Amino acid sequence: MPVKVLLLGGTLEGAAIARRLAADPGVELIVSLAGRVADLPDLPGRLRVGGFGGAEGLTAFLKAENIAKVIDATHPFAAAISAHAAQACGDLGIPLERVQRPLWSRHPGDRWHWADDMAMAARMAAALGRQVLLTVGKGSLAPFARHGGPDYVVRLIDRPASTLGFRRASVVLGRGPFSLADELTLMEHFQVDLLVTKASGGTATEAKLTAARMLGIPVILVRRP
Ligand code: NAP
């Protein structure tokens, strides 16, 4: 009898784990995505999309589906779903595996500045940059648009449905992993003089830090929640 596993995904790591587990005949896999991006990735297993309805909804789902194990491979900034998974699995006594992304480490030549949250990063960006590459995701743009100041190059996965509210911004579309050559081209093309990023860690989006180091561009990193 295969073990029923719920994989909370939405990351490249999650997709890799899904492919590995799908090849295991001892596992019956359900992959869960929040449904934030228009193009759903092609993943093996049974796919379900959308919120569960808080920790209670997730608890009910785990019971109804008779899940034996949960793997939380969500993004390090996806704090709510991880907290819900911890609560639901704790309440039901179901094993929970949290996939940890390695933090990025600083190299000689890096010009890093730490921000505690997006509001702080927006204030710092206004003081430090004139042409700022913003790679924080669509849900975190508001403080930067509100604060004003520099011109922004906003990298998003999907084309935004409405204007972003910036005084001046260019939108570039892209989905990781990104190569170093592409990151260098992007920064040079837009004459970027500051990068703002979540301290997400992992390898898929690390090239932008290498590119910034090579070009002598300072970086604001927003601490993980
Ligand atoms: P979040 O703030 O932790 O979650 C907000 C709500 O979205 C959760 O309470 C849950 O709704 C639902 N949700 C989140 N992940 C889900 C999943 N894998 N399956 C089903 N429902 C999920 O998460 P977020 O920051 O909005 O991220 C959403 C998704 O995008 C995650 O899968 C994450 O891995 C991915 N992602 C996030 C970031 C980022 O920077 N935050 C970056 C790359 C990818 P209910 O309470 O209704 O269950």
Side-chain angles (χ1 to χ4, degrees), residues 9-11 32-34 36 48 50-54 74-75 77-81 84 198:
T11 57
S32 176
L33 301 176
R36 295 281 190 275
R48 65 157 306 284
F52 295 96
T74 58
H75 190 271
F77 278 72
I81 188 71
H84 298 167
K198 292 173 173 169

Side-chain angles (χ1 to χ4, degrees), residues 10-85:
T11 57
L12 289 168
E13 291 90 337
I17 293 168
R19 284 190 282 273
R20 205 177 65 230
L21 289 179
D24 182 342
V27 170
E28 183 183 341
L29 180 64
I30 302 178
V31 180
S32 176
L33 301 176
R36 295 281 190 275
V37 296
D39 236 6
L40 289 180
D42 185 19
L43 295 173
R46 193 178 112 202
L47 186 65
R48 65 157 306 284
V49 180
F52 295 96
E56 300 75 22
L58 179 56
T59 304
F61 180 89
L62 296 177
K63 276 206 278 201
E65 290 285 347
N66 208 13
I67 300 290
K69 179 180 176 178
V70 176
I71 301 176
D72 177 5
T74 58
H75 190 271
F77 278 72
I81 188 71
S82 292
H84 298 167

Side-chain angles (χ1 to χ4, degrees), residues 54-137:
E56 300 75 22
L58 179 56
T59 304
F61 180 89
L62 296 177
K63 276 206 278 201
E65 290 285 347
N66 208 13
I67 300 290
K69 179 180 176 178
V70 176
I71 301 176
D72 177 5
T74 58
H75 190 271
F77 278 72
I81 188 71
S82 292
H84 298 167
Q87 188 182 326
C89 289
D91 288 352
L92 296 175
I94 294 175
L96 169 67
E97 184 184 321
R98 174 73 173 117
V99 177
Q100 297 285 1
R101 262 189 201 184
L103 288 165
W104 289 323
S105 47
R106 199 177 180 129
H107 293 77
D110 279 330
R111 299 170 62 195
W112 288 6
H113 303 267
W114 287 95
D116 292 337
D117 53 33
M118 291 296 160
M120 183 174 170
R123 288 194 299 276
M124 290 166 67
L128 288 175
R130 294 209 326 231
Q131 183 73 359
V132 180
L133 176 57
L134 199 51
T135 62
V136 293

